[in-house]
Amino acid sequence: TASAQSRLLALQLLAALQALLAWAYSPERFRFPDELQHVRSAREILLSGHLFSANPALPVSPGFPGLEIVTTAVKQVSGLSLFAAGIITASIAHVLLVTAVFAWAHALRLGSRYAAACALVYGFAPAFPYFDALFTYSAIALPFFVLAARMAVRVVTYRESALLVLPPLFVAIVSHHLTGYLTCGFVGLVAVLVRRSRHAATAPQLARAATVGLVGAAGWTAAFAPHAYNYLLTPTRVALLALVSPNLDSAGDAAALPHQPKSEPVLPSA
């Protein structure tokens, strides 16, 4: 029978092939609009030598620089082009994501066969084979969401310290706005679910970790990415209006959306 290592290796190979397919979409430079927005943020870091430089193409991007920090570090250490460094960063994050899903399921004591099946089923998500492998800030945040979820499970099943949840949680917070808050919410949900189980003693630890995460996420957003509040709340308000008033016309939708500053041209990466 296949070993846990061989199953994980097969999943990692599949993820690597998906990253290769995403690279084949444009093998010489970034072309996808979302990628070009993050290229702008990465170039601002390289030119200015510091974080949080304004990015008119995506004002919320500089406040969540996880992707750009890793990419610019790879570029400066290796001497590669920004495009090559970005492809390497996004591809490794994609492989790490499927690895983290396998590790999360394995922490549930499902065994390697079912852990591999969970990771494979996750891979059926429409966005996973392509969008999640692109050079976007969610690509690097998602693996740390799953790693934080894995540590939360290990706190419950193996009675490990809840402090281990915080490092991947904070990486998710500084990398992507929504993923950071969802990570805090997931840890809090686990704390609620285990309160009436035989693992109830671990609930307060997880609740404190989720609270620390939420405070950290709110503080980070307020200090470095105030644009994110409008960026997240306005679409939420429009969605709620659509639920309450299904006949809301497109003009009403447009009026409810915030004014977006005109984007400056974003040069393709070298």
Side-chain angles (χ1 to χ4, degrees), residues 41 46 92 97 217 240:
S41 291
L46 292 171
I92 291 176
L97 176 56
L240 292 175

Side-chain angles (χ1 to χ4, degrees), residues 109-268:
R109 297 178 176 174
L110 296 178
S112 65
R113 178 179 298 178
Y114 291 105
C118 286
L120 189 61
V121 169
Y122 179 82
F124 290 150
F128 181 76
Y130 182 68
F131 188 79
D132 286 352
L134 295 179
F135 184 68
T136 61
Y137 51 1
S138 61
I140 202 166
L142 284 172
F144 291 95
F145 166 82
V146 182
L147 287 173
R150 174 182 180 267
M151 295 315 304
V153 170
R154 290 187 65 87
V155 170
V156 175
T157 56
Y158 297 99
R159 301 298 177 93
E160 294 185 355
S161 171
L163 292 175
L164 296 175
V165 176
L166 297 180
L169 190 154
F170 280 114
V171 173
I173 287 172
V174 303
S175 299
H176 187 238
H177 38 75
L178 187 57
T179 305
Y181 284 107
L182 288 176
T183 306
C184 298
F186 182 87
V187 175
L189 177 63
V190 174
V192 171
L193 292 177
V194 301
R195 286 187 63 185
R196 296 187 179 277
S197 71
R198 58 191 178 92
H199 303 290
T202 62
Q205 297 182 57
L206 289 172
R208 285 192 291 269
T211 302
V212 170
L214 283 172
V215 172
W220 181 273
T221 304
F224 302 113
H227 292 291
Y229 291 118
N230 201 41
Y231 187 81
L232 294 174
L233 292 178
T234 301
T236 303
R237 182 163 58 88
V238 172
L240 292 175
L241 285 174
L243 290 174
V244 175
S245 305
N247 296 325
L248 186 69
D249 59 18
S250 57
D253 291 338
L257 289 171
H259 171 70
Q260 294 294 332
K262 185 178 180 180
S263 297
E264 295 181 2
V266 183
L267 297 176

Side-chain angles (χ1 to χ4, degrees), residues 41-50 72-73 75-76 82:
S41 291
R43 285 188 165 181
E44 290 293 339
I45 292 173
L46 292 171
L47 290 171
S48 67
H50 58 78
T72 53
K75 172 179 168 51
Q76 291 177 323
L82 182 58

